Amino acid sequence: MINCFSGEYYNTLDDKGRIAFPAKLQTNLKGDVIWITKGMGKDHSLLIYSPDEWEKTVKDFEKKLSIYNSDTRWLYRRFISPAQEIVIDKNGRIAIPQSLREYADLKKNCIFLGMGSVAELWDADIYKNALLEASDAGINIFEELGKLNLV
């Protein structure tokens, strides 16, 4: 994977909802634009896409999901509708829209997680608790990977 988001980066959100976008993640972009939308499932996180990856994702939705189906319309409403194009400013910051900040319950301390073709943005405390819950629930990610035929 050539343009792969990876790494964990802690940054702080200011009072205006701006946060420094990690330079290491920015190197995977062709310009100064990203797309942000709500995370999946019960994760109270935000998903960050490069413009190319966002376009590919939307096209995949349109190919595989019918907007005329009531169940899949909710996927559009939950995932495509809240998405916003964000410009990285000259100081390397992004302004997180209030609706997305509220959804992810972003406070001051946040973490960016590189996840391959996407990155996630979490409130640091919520992420820490989610990670502990996953461990406490006995989820062993490496055991699950061993069941997959990835080679």
Side-chain angles (χ1 to χ4, degrees):
M1 191 177 263
I2 295 172
N3 287 323
C4 173
F5 290 123
S6 65
E8 297 179 354
Y9 310 92
Y10 288 88
N11 283 328
T12 56
L13 190 69
D14 70 16
D15 294 337
K16 295 180 181 178
R18 297 174 304 193
I19 189 168
F21 189 72
K24 292 270 187 174
L25 295 180
Q26 195 168 346
T27 61
N28 293 306
L29 302 173
K30 293 178 184 171
D32 60 355
V33 173
I34 58 173
W35 280 85
I36 300 180
T37 193
K38 293 178 179 179
M40 298 179 198
K42 294 181 181 181
D43 292 350
H44 283 274
S45 65
L46 301 177
L47 290 174
I48 300 170
Y49 291 81
S50 70
D52 289 344
E53 193 63 32
W54 180 249
E55 183 178 342
K56 178 182 165 202
T57 299
V58 171
K59 284 181 180 177
D60 283 348
F61 258 65
E62 291 171 346
K63 261 194 272 183
K64 298 174 183 175
L65 302 172
S66 172
I67 198 160
Y68 302 106
N69 177 292
S70 62
D71 291 332
T72 59
R73 269 196 307 274
W74 280 108
L75 286 172
Y76 278 88
R77 290 175 184 136
R78 171 75 164 60
F79 188 72
I80 302 290
S81 294
Q84 297 198 34
E85 184 179 42
I86 307 293
V87 175
I88 302 168
D89 72 16
K90 64 181 180 335
N91 295 317
R93 298 174 304 190
I94 56 174
I96 308 295
Q98 183 174 347
S99 61
L100 294 176
R101 286 195 318 263
E102 288 174 1
Y103 168 80
D105 201 16
L106 298 180
K107 297 189 180 52
K108 185 174 178 131
N109 297 313
C110 298
I111 182 171
F112 288 89
L113 301 171
M115 305 272 294
S117 60
V118 299
E120 289 183 326
L121 177 59
W122 290 75
D123 176 84
D125 289 334
I126 292 173
Y127 176 71
K128 181 180 174 183
N129 290 334
L131 198 56
L132 287 172
E133 284 179 26
S135 296
D136 290 346
I139 296 172
N140 188 331
I141 295 167
F142 293 104
E143 286 292 324
E144 294 301 316
L145 281 175
K147 295 176 187 175
L148 300 175
N149 186 8
L150 297 176
V151 181

